[in-house]
Structure formats: structure tokens, C-alpha cells
Amino acid sequence: MPASVPRHDQAQREAEALEFLHLYHTETGQPGLRQRQADLYRDGHLTLSTQELTFGARVAWRNSTRCVGRLPWQTLHVNDLRHVTAHDEVFTHLLVHLRGALNGGRILPTMSVFGPGVRIHNDQLIRYAGYRQPDGRVTGDPQNAALTDYLRGLGWRGGPGTPFDVLPLAIEAQGQVRLFDLPADATCEVRIEHPTCPAIGELGLRWHALPVISNMTLEIGGESFQAAPFNGWYLQTEIAARNLTDEHRYNLLPAVAAALGLDTRTRRSLWVDRALLELNMAVLHSFDRDGIRIADHHAVTWQFRHFETLEARAGRAVRGRWSWLLPPMAPATTPLWDRTYDDREVRPNFTAQPPAWQVARPGVCPFHH
């Protein structure tokens, strides 16, 4: 047992590893369970094969209580990049991930697992800057104001200052943090237009096509992988009912209502609801126009019920956080409205990392270009 690992932590890691090996060999039917158990007892930890890593990553998605889009969990493509630990190589593979997962609009669920010492400080690979203004307002996405400040502290000079400037990636590797600008062909943005209201298109809204989460630690069999960015595809309400409309985000419902010519003097006119509906229609229309895969809240909730049926046939319980599974738009019209779920977390799974600027990281220093 390594001297640096407390005995109780080591015991927990071994217990998780044994549980994972049993799960892997039971569900896949692969032989060799006893040999892998012997490997664990000999080494004190589990060195995952690529097949085990892929299975574990897929099950982590299957176990994600906050995700309503788990039906295609078995299709997740996993890039085993545990040998990649240098900044430039990590960035090169991230570009491969972004371009490959986009797949010409037919988005492929993809995960890239990097080696030890690698961490991506952005919470998603593609994020828009939030520039703080002297009067307290924010140009861009207010949610990313702290990240923007952090990246500027690392040496980023800022973009053109538009509401949709793509932030650089802060990649930690080998004890240093370096910044990398994403090329336009790796971000693939969609212009938001409405099928019947040109004024909404004139607002100049857009959003990126691919949501790649990059601030979650992948936990499999007692092993942790800090750099394991992964993507599915967007649900339209994520963009139109949250990102662009939350008051602490872009807060665009008043502008959309004005474009629609709605009476906004009182909420009793339901202008908020009507503007929200039309913006959701605009997002779906725009992604469909560009041939970019996107889910809608009615289809994805029915797909989740199908996922529950398949899991029941396999003898597995479906866990979930009801408040996350319900869409923020018309939740009572979905088949999940009257459902209840056990929200306890099980592994393999993902755990959230604290923002890099909130954590003291001895020995990690910025690399200035």
C-alpha cells in the first residue's frame, strides 16, 4: 500500500474496485474476473484496461442522476488518452474531440480521458466571456464573469467585447497552466432566427452547437480522472429557457418580447410565457436549419421513460433528481411530472470540481506567452 494513501481511503478504493470488477464482468460476460481481482490485490489499485474504462464511462453516464438524456448511454465513444499529459498534445486532442463529436451536425456522444496531472479549468470547452463593466453590468454571459476574470489574470487580453466572445481554454499539465484559443471551426455556432419573426433574428443571438462538460472528475473503480471532458447534445430548453433567458444570464426575454411586439406592462398578459415559447421555437428552428442535432423537452422526457423501461428489464433501478429531470418549460405536460426517483449517487459517476480560482494549488503556476 502506498505510504501516501491513508489506510481507510485505500480500503475504500479497493472496495470500489472490487465492486466495479464484479459489475463489469457480470454485465459484459467477459472472463477473467479472478485474475483482475488478483491484479488488484497485488498492486493495491486498479489499472483499467481500455475496455474497462469505456464501460465505466458509459455506466457513469447511466448513473448520472441529473441527466434526462441517458437513453443512448451505450453509444458513448471513449478516447483513451491516459498517455497524453503535455499541454500541446492535450489541446490537439481536444480539437479532435470537438470536430469529431460534432460529426457534421450528427453529434456523437464522446468522452476524452487524459492522463495524470491534466485538468481543464473551464467548466465547458466552449464558453462565452462575461466582461464586467464599471457600472456593474456584464457584457456577455454573467455566469462566466469569474472565469473571464481568472483567464485575464492568466494573461488573456480579452476578445472583441461582443456578447458572444469564445473564451480560451486554460489547460493545466505538468505543473503549469497554459491558455489556448479555440479556432472558429472547432466551436460551430448557430445563428438564432425565428421561422416567422425576422425581428428575433435581428437581435444577433447565437449559441454554440456542442456542450462539452469539462469540470467533472470521472470516478471508476476507485480511480479518479480529473480531465475527462464529455458531450451529448443540447436540449433546446437549456439554451432558450435558461442560458439566454435567466435573469442572471443573458436575460433576453424583454428583448424577445419587444421583437414580437408584446405588451410587457404587466406579466398578466403572459408576455414572459409567449416570449419564452417563441425563443424555444427559434432555437429549434435554427439548429434544424443548420442540420445540428438537438433534443426537445417532449421527446427527451418520453425517451427517458423508455430508458426506465429498458433498465427495469435489465434489473437495474433508475436513480434521478426530479428537479433536474423536469424541463424548465411546460414540465407538467411531460411524462415525468408525477414520477418519483431515488436520488442517491452510485459509482461509476462524475463529481464536480471546484473552480480553479477558488482552490489553492501549490506548485501550479501560469505559463505566460
Side-chain angles (χ1 to χ4, degrees), residues 126-131 139-145 147-148 162-167 187-190 206-209 244 250:
I126 305 171
R127 278 300 199 194
Y128 294 123
Y131 301 110
T139 297
D141 193 342
Q143 177 176 275
N144 299 328
L147 173 60
T148 303
T162 76
F164 299 100
D165 288 355
V166 176
L167 288 167
T187 57
C188 185
E189 295 175 283
V190 176
R206 62 179 183 264
W207 204 260
H208 55 91
L244 291 176
Y250 280 85

Side-chain angles (χ1 to χ4, degrees), residues 121-122 147-157 168-172 176-180 356-357 364-369:
H121 290 195
N122 310 58
L147 173 60
T148 303
D149 294 342
Y150 174 69
L151 295 175
R152 292 181 118 167
L154 292 175
W156 185 53
R157 296 181 180 179
L169 292 177
I171 298 174
E172 178 184 329
Q176 287 187 330
V177 181
R178 291 177 57 185
L179 300 181
F180 293 84
W357 55 91
V364 176
C365 60
F367 178 91
H368 294 289
H369 296 278

Side-chain angles (χ1 to χ4, degrees), residues 2 13 36 76 79 215 224 238 291 348:
R13 287 180 61 185
R36 294 298 283 133
L76 179 67
N79 298 314
N215 68 336
S224 299
E238 295 178 88

Side-chain angles (χ1 to χ4, degrees), residues 50 53 78-97 111-120 171-176 178 180 224-229:
T50 296
L53 177 69
V78 178
N79 298 314
D80 186 354
L81 302 170
R82 288 175 290 175
H83 60 286
V84 176
T85 59
H87 296 92
D88 292 326
E89 290 183 82
V90 171
F91 182 61
T92 296
H93 283 287
L94 290 177
L95 295 181
V96 171
H97 180 137
M111 176 185 289
S112 296
V113 183
F114 293 96
V118 179
R119 183 183 173 190
I120 300 160
I171 298 174
E172 178 184 329
Q174 300 171 338
Q176 287 187 330
R178 291 177 57 185
F180 293 84
S224 299
F225 304 94
Q226 283 197 314

